[in-house]
Amino acid sequence: MKRRSFLKGTLATGAAAVAVNAGLLTPSTVLAEWNKAAFEAKKVDDAIKVLYGTTETVESGDVVLKAPEIAENGAVTPVTVDATKLDGVESIAILADKNPTPLACAYSFSGPALGYVSTRIKMGETMNVIAVVKAGGKVYKTQQQVKVTIGGCGG
Amino acid sequence: MSIKIRVRGKVRGGVAEIKALMKHPMESGRRMNKKTGKPYPAKYIDVVEVLLNGTKVIEGEWSGAVSANPYMAVKVKANKGDEVVIKAHDNTGATGEAKLKLK
């Protein structure tokens, strides 16, 4: 009889593992999984929807997006997103709306990390850089146009 | 092949600004090789992690749209002497790591 209960136990844990694999449990339990669907989205709204589950965003002056007005070389466009004025920033995403796949990078924060990120992205032509910040259950969006004189894709 | 990472950090007023520079081609898989007419295979860093005293505090997911030899700056509440580790992973499986004691 012991053997039977042992078998039952292993079957139950096996089913739980399958549930995790199939994505039935919340994704927060499975960390460091590259968000393929968001990065392959061809439209800004689609990418934001995959990332945050909504396209309803709030414009806010507390999210500061720093990007050059004119980028001479689109292959290295410096972009800084400063949301340190907001409390409890959970994530920041940077998108370039006319790139073939707009989502360039997405960061998630926890504990002592502040909502601040500075990086350099590639831009194929003149377009808007969009910063999306999630803090305290709200999704904030800020955008700025960057004029590109030399495209960054296709070398 | 491992990814080379250079990291610097400075604590000011209880907040550390951590800057990292990685050596990586960040090939998106879209750039064409004009001689062969085929695209260069994709090779880009897809996951970057920042650890403070062994705990992950920031995780970045990147695409091929991040510039070659990527630069990243982040801010974390920290004290002098805290240990920062930056980890990077690319889509071909290469990894890199850099450590720093905050000053």
Side-chain angles (χ1 to χ4, degrees), chain B residues 34-56:
Chain B
K34 280 172 188 147
K35 280 181 193 155
T36 63
K38 284 180 189 161
Y40 290 99
K43 182 173 173 64
Y44 54 87
I45 296 173
D46 54 5
V47 178
V48 183
E49 291 176 355
V50 180
L51 289 85
L52 181 71
N53 295 329
T55 311
K56 185 164 78 179

Side-chain angles (χ1 to χ4, degrees), chain A residues 57-132:
Chain A
T57 53
V58 190
E59 300 268 336
S60 170
D62 289 338
V63 177
V64 182
L65 170 66
K66 260 187 248 167
E69 272 178 38
I70 298 171
E72 279 186 18
N73 184 355
V76 277
T77 316
V79 177
T80 301
V81 182
D82 188 345
T84 46
K85 279 185 193 166
L86 294 169
D87 285 331
V89 175
E90 290 162 44
S91 65
I92 293 179
I94 299 172
L95 301 96
D97 66 355
K98 280 190 196 159
N99 273 358
T101 51
L103 184 60
C105 50
Y107 295 84
S108 55
F109 305 89
S110 60
L114 296 178
Y116 173 94
V117 126
S118 180
T119 190
R120 299 190 295 217
I121 63 166
K122 295 176 197 166
M123 294 172 72
E125 56 183 304
T126 299
M127 65 177 89
N128 292 317
V129 173
I130 301 162
V132 183

Side-chain angles (χ1 to χ4, degrees), chain B residues 16-90:
Chain B
E17 184 171 19
I18 300 156
K19 295 173 182 174
L21 199 57
M22 291 154 222
K23 201 172 174 176
H24 202 279
M26 296 301 285
E27 200 65 71
S28 67
R30 291 181 188 279
R31 200 164 65 96
M32 284 292 171
N33 183 335
K34 280 172 188 147
K35 280 181 193 155
T36 63
K38 284 180 189 161
Y40 290 99
K43 182 173 173 64
Y44 54 87
I45 296 173
D46 54 5
V47 178
V48 183
E49 291 176 355
V50 180
L51 289 85
L52 181 71
N53 295 329
T55 311
K56 185 164 78 179
V57 291
I58 297 171
E59 182 183 302
E61 289 179 31
W62 288 1
S63 71
V66 174
S67 302
N69 298 328
Y71 163 82
M72 172 180 83
V74 292
K75 286 180 179 175
V76 177
K77 279 182 200 161
N79 299 310
K80 284 181 187 183
D82 284 353
E83 192 185 65
V84 172
V85 176
I86 308 263
K87 283 185 185 175
H89 173 279
D90 81 6

